[in-house]
Amino acid sequence: MSQKPKPSHGLAACPGCAEPLDSGDRFCGACGYDLSAVPAAGNGPDRPTVAIGTPVSWPDAPPREPGSLSTMTQHPGDLPGTDSGGHDLPAAAPAGDFELAAPDPRAAVRVDDPVPAPAAARAPAPVQQAPAPEGAAHGPALCVACRAGRVDTDGYCENCGHAQPRERDHMERELGGVAAVSDRGLRHHRNEDAFAVSSTTLPDGSPATLAVVCDGVSSATRPDEASAAAAEAAGAALLAALPRGTHPQQAMHEAIVAASRAVDSLAEKAADGEPHRNAPACTIVGSVVADGLLVVGWVGDSRAYWVPDDRAAPAARLTEDDSWAAQMVAAGLMNEAEAYADERAHAITGWLGADAYELDPHTAAFKPDRSGVVVVCTDGLWNYAEGPEDMARVVPADAADRPLHSARVLVGHALDGGGHDNITVALVPFAVPPQGAGPA
């Protein structure tokens, strides 16, 4: 998608018929749609839900009666400030109603993968572990088919001749209590997702865990390179910022900016110096758990969910899609069921790439008052467990203790559902010390 001046009404295409619009249009020339009915896009800066500073004295979670189901998770509105779009945060939501302020409509749309459809069966790709730590011993690769022959440099078994899967077809990694699994799925010829998971320490010695998941935009060129570059850059930025004492939410913002620059650098330049149309692009979502905070950041339609260990408590979706469907719902033009049933539902309105109109990272901070896990995933998973309650049903009960096993279970759930897209999921445990527990 080429870059061009952003229309004054904040839309590049008509919400009714998807025809291109010009700056200053008040009505669509094709269908007559009244463009004044669409709220204008906001340009507020990305700001944290709490003041940034080091050290930070975080407020305690609201008190509650033992066994009460109220205030299971502290809403961002309980903390002073605004969300990443510059909007006032809503008041604390009652149990079972955990929503973020809807994002402003975006100027551009980009077509991502279609709505799930029945898929031809494929045996799940053999497990390929993510690259081992530097210095680890490397033995000869064995064939995934016969488990006896060695794999030659051309990627074929010297014993049975079986072609070996590409490394990115199925990747797994567990590090510092956080884990991720990525799989090609049943329909795509390659895996265009990527992830980064790691752990580090804050200046006071307390632990911090992080996960970044990126989904390459299939309609763009080299989407697999875009997602890999973004995940690597964002993960490196977080690992550099958190030990320095950077506030986790500010670190997340900076990580998304770093990821955007990494993807921008992949774009080939045309003769006029402008990026070619259809530059490499991807979405991004990340989570950091540190110092009693749960921080998320995203651009696009990859998501983060909160699933408490106590399944009697409500789960929550922590992100809001940059998509055509979400834009229609936010504008009050469709309800959620209508919007996501539309063939344009998965057209994204925000992404990382040189042909994006502007970079608008979203970040939000939460302070849960009980233990649980953060599910960070691409739409290859959430298409099969879209609502928070759906996600909570498929996340294993021991996910906080066995994150890698649980990530494998979630990937299997998507494959069993049809596996129409690449599937990537990371699980980040969030632990709250028991009441009355003090330092050892």
Side-chain angles (χ1 to χ4, degrees), residues 126-128 142-150 157 159-160 164:
V127 171
Q128 297 288 318
L142 292 179
C143 174
V144 300
C146 69
R147 305 303 300 173
R150 296 185 180 184
C157 175
N159 179 51
C160 68
Q164 305 302 294

Side-chain angles (χ1 to χ4, degrees), residues 11-253:
L11 291 174
C14 172
C17 67
E19 283 296 308
L21 301 173
D22 294 324
S23 178
D25 283 352
R26 297 176 59 190
F27 298 88
C28 174
C31 69
Y33 192 94
D34 183 1
L35 300 174
S36 64
V38 181
N43 295 311
D46 176 76
R47 289 181 285 180
T49 58
V50 290
I52 293 177
T54 304
V56 178
S57 177
W58 299 111
D60 294 330
R64 59 183 175 84
E65 295 296 326
S68 169
L69 297 183
S70 64
T71 321
M72 291 300 100
T73 302
Q74 185 167 343
H75 191 273
D78 296 335
L79 303 176
T82 59
D83 68 9
S84 56
H87 306 291
D88 291 334
L89 288 167
D97 182 14
F98 194 131
E99 298 180 340
L100 298 176
D104 295 318
R106 285 294 189 279
V109 296
R110 189 161 197 167
V111 177
D112 200 357
D113 293 306
V115 178
R122 163 177 86 79
V127 171
Q128 297 288 318
Q129 292 290 339
E134 200 171 316
H138 292 278
L142 292 179
C143 174
V144 300
C146 69
R147 305 303 300 173
R150 296 185 180 184
V151 178
D152 63 22
T153 56
D154 293 331
Y156 290 86
C157 175
E158 296 176 346
N159 179 51
C160 68
H162 190 93
Q164 305 302 294
R166 287 167 291 192
E167 181 181 2
R168 285 184 66 171
D169 279 0
H170 187 97
M171 301 179 291
E172 298 185 352
R173 187 157 177 80
E174 184 173 33
L175 184 64
V178 58
V181 176
S182 182
D183 190 89
R184 176 166 62 94
L186 302 179
R187 297 191 62 179
H188 281 250
H189 71 282
R190 64 182 176 186
N191 190 357
E192 297 167 356
D193 289 355
F195 65 80
V197 293
S198 193
S199 62
T200 186
T201 55
L202 303 182
D204 63 1
S206 60
T209 54
L210 61 98
V212 176
V213 167
C214 298
D215 184 355
V217 177
S218 295
S219 60
T221 59
R222 295 147 55 206
D224 54 331
E225 295 180 35
S227 62
E232 180 180 0
L238 288 169
L239 286 177
L242 292 171
R244 293 198 305 260
T246 305
H247 187 285
Q249 192 168 7
Q250 180 66 26
M252 179 62 73
H253 176 98

